[in-house]
Amino acid sequence: VVRRVMAARMWREVLLLIAGYTLYSFVRNAAPDRKGLAVAHAHDVIALQERLGLNVESSINHYFDEHVPLAVFANYFYAIGFSLTTIVTLVVLWRIDWRVFRFHRTVLVVMTGAAMVTYWLYPLAPPRLVPDGGFVDTFIKYRTWGRLHTPANQYAAMPSMHTGWSIWVAVSVCFVAGRWWIRVLACSLPVVTVVVIMATANHFVLDAAAGASYYALAFTAVLIATRRRRERAASRLRPTAP
């Protein structure tokens, strides 16, 4: 009986996650493709980062472009790394503990849902699509498989879900990993991801900061909701005074 329940629960989760990712892709790609507004927002981001001393994307982008193996690695990491690590982490969480899986899965869903709203409301051109920005589009230059002709909305750079999802992977793994080197490896993922999204000229520093903020807010919201649910459940189990 337990096996049948777990099998039914597993297939329900698989279908829900597939449906959720499909919805995420649809909303992201269907968000208004307002090029002029997206480029204007990009100039605003560049100006703000200039005042904050954060405009490092160009130097990272050109450094990788001058070292072809690094550029090709960054392209493929950007194209498949975030989805692969997320799927593997979900499987690991499921196999370890259902309650842990449910908590982190909910964080992932809440964070991604909030990002979908932002894509629709705040179109933003990535660095590689800023006219006269001086960035190298490494996907076009090195013709990376799987990304050249993707029918995706090119003006949905804020927030960076590559960053948000990589932080989700790191924190989720740290919750369940018993060995220190696994935790160190997991925590290195967001660092590599942030470098990659700038090396490929797909995101600004503030996009990455927004992705991290969305994760933190989603985690906090789900944690509060989970604690309140447990408190309500515990209160129902307490014996009432005579």
Side-chain angles (χ1 to χ4, degrees):
V1 175
V2 174
R3 287 185 177 180
R4 287 199 299 269
V5 171
M6 291 303 295
R9 184 179 289 172
M10 179 189 70
W11 283 112
R12 184 188 66 188
E13 290 294 331
V14 169
L15 292 175
L16 285 174
L17 289 170
I18 291 175
Y21 185 77
T22 301
L23 178 62
Y24 165 76
S25 300
F26 174 79
V27 172
R28 187 180 190 278
N29 298 339
D33 189 357
R34 295 166 287 184
K35 179 178 179 180
L37 182 59
V39 172
H41 285 161
H43 285 299
D44 292 340
V45 169
I46 292 172
L48 176 58
Q49 290 192 169
E50 182 67 32
R51 291 195 295 271
L52 297 174
L54 296 177
N55 279 341
V56 298
E57 300 89 355
S58 181
S59 59
I60 295 174
N61 174 238
H62 286 286
Y63 179 84
F64 272 66
D65 182 48
E66 292 168 1
H67 299 79
V68 177
L70 285 178
V72 173
F73 165 79
N75 284 355
Y76 282 108
F77 186 92
Y78 185 90
I80 63 177
F82 80 106
S83 56
L84 180 61
T85 54
T86 301
I87 292 171
V88 170
T89 302
L90 284 168
V91 172
V92 170
L93 294 175
W94 172 268
R95 293 179 64 86
I96 290 177
D97 190 302
W98 156 249
R99 290 171 298 179
V100 174
F101 168 86
R102 182 174 60 183
F103 175 85
H104 291 287
R105 175 260 285 154
T106 306
V107 173
L108 181 65
V109 170
V110 171
M111 172 180 61
T112 306
M116 288 191 292
V117 175
T118 309
Y119 293 147
W120 192 276
L121 297 177
Y122 189 81
L124 176 68
R128 60 188 175 83
L129 292 182
V130 176
D132 301 321
F135 293 95
V136 177
D137 190 332
T138 57
F139 286 120
I140 297 297
K141 185 171 183 178
Y142 299 107
R143 302 185 62 80
T144 301
W145 172 85
R147 294 293 298 182
L148 268 180
H149 305 295
T150 302
N153 176 17
Q154 299 294 299
Y155 301 103
M158 173 72 79
S160 165
M161 277 297 93
H162 278 72
T163 302
W165 288 15
S166 67
I167 295 174
W168 177 87
V169 168
V171 176
S172 300
V173 170
C174 286
F175 261 82
V176 298
R179 298 181 180 179
W180 67 268
W181 63 268
I182 297 179
R183 294 183 178 181
V184 171
L185 188 62
C187 290
S188 69
L189 179 63
V191 178
V192 174
T193 300
V194 171
V195 173
V196 163
I197 64 176
M198 291 187 288
T200 56
N202 274 286
H203 288 283
F204 295 101
V205 172
L206 290 182
D207 299 338
S213 299
Y214 277 50
Y215 172 79
L217 291 171
F219 182 92
T220 302
V222 175
L223 181 62
I224 292 173
T226 300
R227 287 179 175 176
R228 288 180 176 176
R229 185 177 66 249
R230 289 175 179 173
E231 289 172 357
R232 288 194 298 269
S235 65
R236 288 195 294 267
L237 294 176
R238 294 193 193 103
T240 56

